[in-house]
Amino acid sequence: MIAFYNLKAVTQRYAEEIAKATSEVIASGWYLQGEATARFEQHYADYIGTRHCVGVGNGLDALTLIFRAYLELGLMKAGDEVIVPANTYIASILAITENGLKPVLIEPRPDTLEIDDSRIEQAITPRTRAIMLVHLYGRCAYTERIGKLCQHYQLKLVEDNAQAHGCLYEGRHTGSLGHAAGHSFYPTKNLGALGDAGAVTTDDHELADCIRALGNYGSERKYVFHYKGRNSRLDELQAAVLDVKLRHLDDDNRQRQNIARYYYDHISHPLVSLPRRMDDAQNVYHLFPILSPRRDRLQQYLADQGIQTQIHYPIPPHRQQCYKEWAELSLPVTELIHQQELSLPMSPALTLHEATAIVEALNRFVP
C-alpha cells in the first residue's frame, strides 16, 4: 500500500536529532515559556523574514489571536468585514467569526484554486478592514494586485500560511508578505510538530506583544492581566522538535517539488486536470490536488490499487451546518472544486518509485 502521508517515515528520518532535542528539554525541567521556545521563535522569524514570531497552541489560535489583537488595539471592531477565499479550510473562517467579524467569501480561480484577485475590489465596502490570503495546497496566493488593493484601501493583509512553510514570492517567504501571518505546525504540515502547535509572524511590535499577552491569559507580566485572554502557548517539547525540523525544511520541500515535477510531467488522462503549474519557488506542495468529474470513482479505483488519497475538502464552508446562514449562497467555482478535488500522495518520504506506480495506475483509470 502507498500511504497518503506516512507520518512515521517522515519523522523517523530525524529521530535521533529529535530525541536529543527533546531529551535536553526534559532534562532542563522547564517545559513552558523557556529557552527552547525562545530559540525556535527567533530561528523561525529569521527564516520567514519578520521581526517577530510568537508561538501559540495551534494554527487556528494563531489566526484567531491576530484578529483579536486588532480588536484590542482598536484597529477593528465587531461587524467589520474580512475578505477570505470561499474554498479555504474552515479554520480560516472560524478565526474571523469567532471575533465577531464578518467573512466575505470570494471565489477562487479555477486554474490556480487560489483566491481570484479580479473579484476582490468589487467586494470591498466601507466596513472592509482586511484581506485574509490563504496559501492553499502550498501554492503562493499573493499577487501584486492584492498588495496594491491593501495599500490603496488601507486594509490589513493577514496570511494563513498553514500550508505553505518555505514558499516564496520574489525571494520573500510567505508569512512575511502581509501585516501578520498565522502558521499551523500540525504534524502533517511541511513543518510539522509531534502534536498541535502554531505561531504568528509579524513586523508589528505592538501586535506581537498583544498576541503574546492574549495567549498567556491576557498577561504581560505575572498576575497582571491587561486583556481577557486565553491559554495558547507553544510548549518547549514542540518548539524543540520544530527547531530540528526547521533545519531540514528546504530539503524536504525540494523532495516534494521533485515528486510534483514527476506528476506534472507524466499524468495524462482525459478525465483528470491539474492546477496551473507554478515556478517551484512559489509552490512547496503541501498537497498535490487534481480535479476530476469522476472523482469518487477515481478515488475508489486508486484505493483498490493500494493507493491512498484524500479529498480537500468534501464540503465547502458555506455548505457546513455551522454556517447555515450561508445556505443560499451560490459559489459555483468553489462548489465545483469541492466536488472534483482529489489529493494524491505527497510527502518528503514518498519515493520516485511510489510516484511512478501512482501515475501509472491513475493513467490506466477507466470509469
Side-chain angles (χ1 to χ4, degrees):
M1 184 190 76
I2 300 175
F4 176 74
Y5 191 89
N6 189 335
L7 184 55
K8 182 178 179 180
V10 170
T11 306
Q12 192 64 35
R13 295 169 308 143
Y14 311 124
E16 289 186 13
E17 292 176 76
I18 289 171
K20 181 176 183 293
T22 53
S23 293
E24 289 172 356
V25 171
I26 293 168
S28 76
W30 195 293
Y31 308 131
L32 277 171
Q33 297 178 301
E35 291 181 3
T37 299
R39 183 163 55 246
F40 171 71
E41 288 178 338
Q42 186 59 62
H43 289 165
Y44 195 61
D46 291 343
Y47 178 85
I48 292 296
T50 55
R51 292 187 179 92
H52 305 283
C53 170
V54 181
V56 298
N58 55 68
L60 174 56
D61 280 358
L63 294 172
T64 303
L65 289 169
I66 290 170
F67 289 112
R68 174 69 187 283
Y70 280 135
L71 289 165
E72 293 288 356
L73 295 172
L75 299 174
M76 295 182 187
K77 59 182 181 297
D80 283 345
E81 296 171 355
V82 179
I83 288 171
V84 63
N87 64 318
T88 187
Y89 182 56
I90 200 166
S92 311
I93 295 170
L94 288 171
I96 299 169
T97 57
E98 185 173 331
N99 283 292
L101 302 168
K102 180 183 177 182
V104 177
L105 306 182
I106 302 296
E107 289 265 60
R109 285 181 46 155
D111 62 332
T112 68
L113 313 184
E114 304 295 334
I115 192 169
D116 187 341
D117 62 3
S118 69
R119 296 174 181 256
I120 293 175
E121 188 165 21
Q122 65 195 35
I124 295 173
T125 76
R127 297 301 302 272
T128 306
R129 293 294 178 269
I131 297 173
M132 181 186 282
L133 196 61
V134 185
H135 303 293
L136 278 168
Y137 313 112
R139 301 168 64 91
C140 179
Y142 181 84
T143 66
E144 186 178 349
R145 185 178 198 170
I146 291 172
K148 288 181 177 178
L149 285 172
C150 288
Q151 186 175 24
H152 179 74
Y153 290 98
Q154 296 184 309
L155 305 178
K156 295 296 183 184
L157 180 59
V158 177
E159 297 175 78
D160 182 341
N161 201 49
Q163 300 187 7
H165 311 133
C167 190
L168 293 167
Y169 176 82
E170 295 185 354
R172 296 173 59 195
H173 278 116
T174 54
S176 71
L177 304 175
H179 297 93
H183 307 255
S184 168
F185 303 126
Y186 183 78
T188 58
K189 303 299 187 186
N190 291 44
L191 180 61
L194 299 187
D196 275 324
V200 174
T201 55
T202 182
D203 283 332
D204 186 332
H205 178 76
E206 188 177 20
L207 184 73
D209 283 351
C210 184
I211 289 169
R212 192 176 296 281
L214 286 168
N216 189 37
Y217 299 97
S219 175
E220 293 178 323
R221 58 191 177 90
K222 198 167 185 177
Y223 301 135
V224 177
F225 303 93
H226 191 68
Y227 307 106
K228 297 174 183 177
R230 62 200 301 172
N231 179 2
S232 182
R233 300 175 296 201
L234 177 63
D235 71 65
E236 290 285 279
L237 286 170
Q238 299 302 343
V241 170
L242 289 166
D243 210 34
V244 168
K245 296 182 79 174
L246 179 59
R247 298 196 290 267
H248 302 283
L249 176 59
D250 289 342
D251 286 338
D252 283 352
N253 284 343
R254 277 189 282 271
Q255 177 59 16
R256 290 174 181 269
Q257 290 161 346
N258 289 338
I259 297 297
R261 196 175 301 119
Y262 187 85
Y263 282 159
Y264 269 111
D265 290 344
H266 294 91
I267 290 174
S268 179
H269 196 289
L271 291 175
V272 173
S273 60
L274 307 182
R276 180 167 57 83
R277 196 168 183 173
M278 303 175 73
D279 182 88
D280 272 355
Q282 291 188 292
N283 196 342
V284 292
Y285 297 100
H286 171 60
L287 300 170
F288 192 92
I290 63 174
L291 300 176
S292 175
R294 307 302 294 273
R295 187 265 309 280
D296 294 342
R297 287 279 187 91
L298 175 57
Q299 184 177 40
Q300 184 58 58
Y301 161 78
L302 291 173
D304 293 342
Q305 305 299 306
I307 299 167
Q308 289 185 343
T309 59
Q310 288 191 16
I311 297 170
H312 295 89
Y313 303 95
I315 305 172
H318 71 286
R319 291 285 181 259
Q320 297 286 354
Q321 178 63 23
C322 63
Y323 290 117
K324 56 184 180 293
E325 64 270 25
W326 294 339
E328 301 305 316
L329 277 181
S330 176
L331 297 166
V333 179
T334 293
E335 289 158 18
L336 185 65
I337 289 171
H338 285 258
Q339 290 163 9
Q340 296 192 355
E341 194 277 342
L342 186 67
S343 296
L344 298 182
M346 172 59 71
S347 88
L350 195 71
T351 67
L352 187 58
H353 176 75
E354 290 172 319
T356 301
I358 293 164
V359 171
E360 289 178 352
L362 188 153
N363 288 343
R364 291 194 303 266
F365 172 58
V366 179

